[in-house]
Amino acid sequence: MNNKLYGKLIFELSHPGRRAYSLPKDEFGSHELPSAMRRAEDAALPECDEMTVVRHYTNLSENNFGVDNGFYPLGSCTMKYNPPINEEMAALSAFNNIHPLQPLSTVQGALQVEYDLQRALSALTGMADFTLNPCAGAHGELTGLMIIRSYHETRGDSRRNKVIIPDSAHGTNPASAAVCGCEVLEVKSTADGLVDFDDLKQIIADHPDDIAAMMMTNPNTLGLFERDIPAITKLVHDAGGLMYYDGANLNPMLGVARPADMGFDVMHLNLHKTFSTPHGGGGPGSGPVGVREGLEPFLPKPHVVKNGDKFDIEQPERTDSYTVENNHVGPFLGNFLVIVRALSYILSLGKENIKMVGPLSVLNANYIKESLKDDYELPIHGLCKHEFVFNGLKDKSTGVTTMDVAKRLLDYGYHAPTIYFPLLFHEAMMIEPTENESKETLDGFIEVMHNIAKEARENPEIVKGAPHTTPISRVDDVEAAKHPVLTFRQLAAE
Ligand SMILES: *Cc1c(COP(=O)(O)O)cnc(C)c1O
């Protein structure tokens, strides 16, 4: 936008004495504060007229890139379409004007939403029951690991504190294990990106009595289906450990395969990814945890149950025990309005359509992968699931990096894929289109990615200098992280 007022801070638009409102004069008499209570100097607030304020914030909001204004192939984040019907449901005053301490007889409908979602998630995953209390994926992982430790401790097996995690796992997996007081044993990936079964066997042989669990993501972070799951689960179970499933990105499995049927004991889901709650910007999220039959007593309380045709809440016992089943893992019954959105999404798709989520997300990812593999290096060939990883441009002689490609995409109006993750390749570029995109949208992205590869060969400087059309061009990531300038005053003092 070629406008002098655009791209400025609200403070820079300030003029002394400008006001965006006017109160009726004299009608209420004078309301001057006693001078002893007044500040010596006026607060440094911007002084702007109303139109300037409206335009400033509207322009700012339009700088935000969201699923509703463009293609957003951010791998591992599942930036899927968030249907407005979910927002309408979450906006119902019967849902958002209630209080968690209201008498249960007055919130039966809200409890039914929780109960129905517990049942729907159980049906989709094969688990026996779910807690909806954890407020994020990582929070779900921690809760799941606490359930696993509690299970071992209840059996007098409290020595088990080792958690096996593949090197391709999401960073939250080892972090959650560490927070839970466990030690992480990393299992390597093979050249074709799957769990190295021989390495796993060795790890288990080296720790015969103290494996608490193995955490797995399937399809894994490279978008590959782990073929050896039956053998892996048998190995871990025989060693006395439980299998944990990171279901943050359940997309390709929805309606196709169920973690419980694969032998997993405990899992979490990200409602804010797979079940279409808007995310990014840090929340709100929800990371429900499911357990297979037999582990239900270890689910944390409070927990919604159905007695006859009434819904009730099982409360924690508040004993001195620190086991997870006797404690709150989060406030009340989780992020309720995210739970409402997830149920709305599941019910509006229905039993038949939800089965299409998996196949369509897999089709879309493979279509992009196959269309671009002549220009971008594909380190692992074969069918992927809902996402896949390129290792930068195929032609390494141009000097154009994955970062450059990501920045250049912004000039073309596309959000960048996830870059430099997973850590298995130096120039990783992780692409996840999700199931909702039309063929024309995918073709548009493919064309732009081809264009960028061509530019890299013919005019690399234009890619290396990108973005050229955004309000701010390339920022210094390191400087921004080490010396963030977060206030206007600080900026003025520079
Ligand atoms: C996003 C993600 C997580 C973490 O979820 P948060 O809600 O961000 O805590 C864990 N595992 C995988 C595979 C993910 O993609």
Side-chain angles (χ1 to χ4, degrees), residues 10-24:
I10 188 84
F11 289 94
E12 295 171 290
L13 302 174
S14 173
H15 288 277
R18 287 279 166 82
R19 289 291 177 270
Y21 65 89
S22 60
L23 289 179

Side-chain angles (χ1 to χ4, degrees), residues 75-78 135-141 168-173 176 216-221 246-249 268-273 279 284-287 386-387 421 430 432:
S76 188
C77 293
T78 310
C135 294
H139 191 188
E141 291 167 26
S168 64
H170 197 271
T172 49
N173 289 190
S176 301
M216 281 191 77
T217 309
N218 191 30
N220 66 24
T221 308
D246 179 337
N249 315 109
H268 82 270
L269 293 164
N270 277 23
L271 298 188
H272 49 292
K273 288 180 183 168
H279 63 293
S286 176
H386 61 307
E387 61 193 359
F421 178 81
M430 188 181 189
E432 177 184 8

